[in-house]
């Protein structure tokens, strides 16, 4: 006689802290579902998640029905958002982290929603480019002019066949380096802040049901 043993044990899937944060905010939308906001000082702006704008006069719905050729009744009124327990645990940990590191927690949420880490500008070398400005709706290169060195004259032919010595202006295009050293430094500060918060989150997270953190992922 064969005996069947049922096992309901769940083996956690390995993941990185960066991928876990992306899953929490981009896929699960834990901040919008729970409604729990970060603890942020007034100096740091916090953009709450808002549902997309909808047409109130019904024109958008009529246009959609016309494109489909049918009216498909929705079931949104009978549904409710379901959040995975692990996503709620991660968001609670980020909210707790925001009390000590508000900027780091805010960067975790923002880059978790985009799924991309901050740009570190690794190996980037600023390069010169012409200075441009907007004239109306058209962008043009800025041109300037300068006098030659003192005492330097140029020979110019006159109308009567003679020669005149004049100081001629030399046009030139101003250059600037992009990205600037200041912008590179600011980007790397943002990256370090985000990575530090990611490590702090990985160290303070309790055991999860579906996931198991195996590294930072950055």
């Amino acid at each position: 006689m064969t005996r069947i043993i049922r096992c309901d044990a769940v083996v956690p899937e390995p993941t990185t802290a960066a991928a876990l944060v992306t899953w929490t905010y981009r896929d699960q939308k834990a901040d919008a579902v729970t409604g729990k906001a970060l603890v942020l000082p007034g100096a740091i702006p916090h953009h709450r998640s808002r549902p997309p704008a909808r047409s109130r006069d019904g024109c958008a719905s009529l246009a959609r029905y016309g494109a489909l050729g049918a009216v498909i009744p929705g079931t949104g009124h009978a549904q409710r958002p379901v959040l995975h327990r692990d996503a709620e645990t991660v968001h609670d940990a980020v909210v707790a982290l925001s009390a000590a590191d508000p900027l780091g927690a805010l960067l975790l949420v923002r880059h978790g929603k985009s799924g991309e880490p901050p740009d570190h500008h690794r190996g980037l070398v600023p390069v010169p480019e012409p200075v441009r400005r907007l004239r109306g709706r058209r962008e043009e290169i800025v041109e300037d002019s300068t006098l030659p060195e003192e005492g330097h004259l140029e020979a110019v032919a006159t109308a009567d066949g003679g020669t005149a010595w004049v100081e001629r202006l030399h046009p030139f295009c101003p250059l600037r380096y992009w990205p600037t050293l200041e912008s590179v430094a600011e980007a790397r500060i943002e990256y370090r802040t985000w990575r530090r918060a990611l490590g702090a989150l990985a160290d303070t997270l309790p055991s999860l049901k579906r996931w198991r953190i195996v590294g930072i992922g950055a």
Side-chain angles (χ1 to χ4, degrees):
M1 180 178 180
T2 304
R3 184 179 180 183
I4 300 176
I5 300 177
R6 181 179 178 181
C7 180
D8 294 329
V10 177
V11 179
E13 303 176 38
T15 187
T16 63
L20 180 61
V21 171
T22 299
W23 173 79
T24 299
Y25 293 107
R26 186 186 64 183
D27 302 337
Q28 292 287 313
K29 297 177 174 55
D31 57 332
V33 175
T34 63
K36 299 176 182 177
L38 302 180
V39 182
L40 300 177
I44 301 180
H46 183 206
H47 303 286
R48 293 180 177 272
S49 301
R50 296 181 179 178
R54 301 181 62 182
S55 172
R56 295 185 177 182
D57 56 10
C59 293
S61 299
L62 292 176
R64 185 169 62 253
Y65 298 153
L68 292 175
V71 177
I72 302 177
T75 58
H77 62 281
Q79 299 179 10
R80 65 181 180 88
V82 178
L83 183 65
H84 195 282
R85 185 178 301 175
D86 286 356
E88 185 175 5
T89 301
V90 173
H91 181 58
D92 288 344
V94 173
V95 171
L97 177 64
S98 66
D101 186 7
L103 183 56
L106 182 61
L107 291 175
L108 288 181
V109 175
R110 287 184 176 178
H111 291 282
K113 292 181 178 180
S114 67
E116 297 291 337
D119 190 358
H120 186 268
H121 291 326
R122 184 181 300 277
L124 182 64
V125 178
V127 295
E129 65 175 16
V131 176
R132 302 176 185 272
R133 64 184 173 191
L134 286 176
R135 184 178 293 275
R137 296 184 178 182
R138 186 180 62 181
E139 189 179 63
E140 63 179 19
I141 296 178
V142 176
E143 291 186 356
D144 204 344
S145 58
T146 182
L147 288 171
E149 296 181 4
E150 184 178 355
H152 179 76
L153 301 178
E154 294 186 5
V156 179
T158 60
D160 58 359
T163 302
W165 296 89
V166 299
E167 288 183 335
R168 176 172 294 179
L169 299 178
H170 295 282
F172 71 96
C173 171
L175 299 177
R176 66 177 180 182
Y177 282 87
W178 185 259
T180 63
L181 296 179
E182 291 79 7
S183 64
V184 172
E186 290 174 359
R188 293 182 177 176
I189 291 174
E190 178 179 341
Y191 182 89
R192 289 195 295 268
T193 304
W194 170 79
R195 194 186 187 286
R196 182 184 66 242
L198 203 60
L201 177 66
D203 293 338
T204 56
L205 266 180
S207 298
L208 303 176
K209 185 174 182 180
R210 176 180 174 182
W211 302 106
R212 175 173 56 89
I213 297 180
V214 295
I216 297 297

